[in-house]
Amino acid sequence: MGSVRKAVLPAAGLGTRFLPITKSIPKEMLPLVDKPAIQYVVEEAVTAGITDVLVITGRGKGAIEDHFDRNVELEQVLERSGKHALLAEVAATDQLADVHFVRQHEALGLGHAVSVAEPHVGGEPFVVMLGDDIMVDDAALLTRMLAVHEETGGSVLAVLEVTREEISAYGALTAEPVREGVVRARGVVEKPAPDDAPSTLAVIGRYVFTPGIFDALRETSPGVGGEIQLTDAIGILLEREPVYGVIFRDGRYDAGKKVDFLRANIELGLARDDLRDEIEQMLRVLVRDRGLT
Ligand code: G1P
């Protein structure tokens, strides 16, 4: 395993795209089949060799802390009723990794949320993982990014080619090729209008950073939406140190989009031996009844 041990998961956002459910339930706790979205992210981190996870939370996010804590009463009930498989699964969530929490007291932007991690992360390189991107690639992308970091010592972004209309939802990267699947970042702009976008290479929600990002964040003024943007700090960082991009291939859901979130639920259900047959049957009936063939 490599030298990167810590992951930072910003989870302080209000989740306005999923209102009204997110009025009372953190969006990170929305279920994909029967696990909260954030658990997939933590499992991906662990698969890539991360042992320490820091979740950046805010008001109303207590359910996330409960999920990664023990629930002794529940464990006792499951034990007494002989539900050993469920017991093992419940107990496993708090043993996945060393999960810590810190609050972002004000919603000042993604860059600000990451800066809150500095005392925990210290002077080490670390990973940032955004919960809207749910990866079903057995951590292949993150593992490739960590390998590029090990090889170069630089920061590494995950990038995806999108359409000109789509780029305005992302940070847009200007880059030059290094080798197959790897680019060197030269500039980055947060959520450009399609006509102003310098490229259609989007930054998606996985990052490996050197501690240099914290100095860059300190120098970052509020940007798009009046928020401290992580993208603007990356723009400062890449003037000082090499920053690379690793091209994403496949195995991602954008759980921030309702239809992709529903698709994730169906496809993750289809991947389960205990659910596949029933879901396939449901889909057949649905397609037939709605005349979709
Ligand atoms: C954030 C970042 C953006 C990045 C995106 C990836 O935007 O600010 O640069 O491209 O995540 O998902 P958000 O989706 O939080 O608006």
Side-chain angles (χ1 to χ4, degrees):
M1 280 301 169
S3 61
V4 180
R5 300 181 302 122
K6 294 184 178 175
V8 173
L9 276 53
L14 297 176
T16 44
R17 277 182 288 192
F18 272 86
L19 280 169
I21 180 73
T22 45
K23 185 179 173 199
S24 54
I25 309 276
K27 74 168 175 182
E28 296 77 13
M29 291 302 292
L30 296 183
L32 288 165
V33 189
D34 50 13
K35 281 196 292 196
I38 193 168
Q39 189 172 336
Y40 289 85
V41 182
V42 173
E43 288 174 355
E44 177 195 343
V46 170
T47 304
I50 300 293
T51 53
D52 182 298
V53 172
L54 179 69
V55 185
I56 315 290
T57 65
R59 201 173 303 118
K61 300 282 185 169
I64 304 176
E65 295 185 40
D66 289 344
H67 187 71
F68 291 104
D69 192 4
R70 285 192 68 182
N71 183 335
V72 177
E73 201 184 326
L74 175 64
E75 287 174 27
Q76 285 169 352
V77 170
L78 293 173
E79 177 76 60
R80 276 202 300 273
S81 51
K83 296 188 169 150
H84 299 295
L86 271 180
L87 176 63
E89 232 176 292
V90 164
T93 52
D94 60 85
Q95 289 158 14
L96 271 174
D98 205 358
V99 184
H100 307 268
F101 299 88
V102 64
R103 273 195 178 213
Q104 182 191 19
H105 297 290
E106 279 180 278
L108 297 178
L110 178 61
H112 179 259
V114 171
S115 72
V116 167
E118 185 172 11
H120 183 86
V121 168
E124 295 176 38
F126 65 103
V127 163
V128 171
M129 305 172 79
L130 305 187
D132 279 348
D133 286 305
I134 301 294
M135 305 300 300
V136 282
D137 66 342
D138 211 15
L141 173 66
L142 190 56
T143 303
R144 281 166 61 215
M145 294 171 69
L146 288 166
V148 171
H149 168 75
E150 293 295 324
E151 176 195 327
T152 63
S155 294
V156 187
L157 316 173
V159 291
L160 167 70
E161 192 65 50
V162 298
T163 64
R164 200 151 269 283
E165 290 69 51
E166 287 169 329
I167 194 69
S168 48
Y170 296 96
L173 194 73
T174 328
E176 43 195 60
V178 173
R179 60 165 189 259
E180 177 70 29
V182 182
V183 297
R184 169 92 187 249
R186 294 297 182 193
V188 66
V189 188
E190 180 68 2
K191 301 198 172 80
D195 290 343
D196 304 338
S199 79
T200 48
L201 204 54
V203 176
I204 58 170
R206 297 291 179 272
Y207 310 79
V208 182
F209 286 122
T210 63
I213 194 68
F214 293 120
D215 290 326
L217 279 165
R218 260 187 286 282
E219 295 161 39
T220 302
S221 329
V224 174
E227 297 186 343
I228 306 286
Q229 294 291 349
L230 184 58
T231 299
D232 295 340
I234 296 170
I236 296 174
L237 187 68
L238 59 78
E239 299 287 338
R240 298 178 178 165
E241 311 176 0
V243 176
Y244 297 90
V246 164
I247 315 270
F248 162 78
R249 294 188 187 128
D250 51 15
R252 163 186 181 251
Y253 299 107
D254 183 350
K257 288 189 186 146
K258 285 175 194 168
V259 173
D260 228 31
F261 182 79
L262 294 172
R263 187 170 68 93
N265 260 298
I266 293 170
E267 290 188 357
L268 289 167
L270 285 168
R272 290 253 303 246
D273 291 340
D274 58 334
L275 296 172
R276 185 178 308 113
D277 292 349
E278 274 182 88
I279 297 176
E280 280 181 358
Q281 183 56 18
M282 174 196 78
L283 291 173
R284 266 187 226 106
V285 172
L286 199 73
V287 165
R288 188 195 63 210
D289 288 358
R290 299 186 71 91
L292 293 175
T293 45

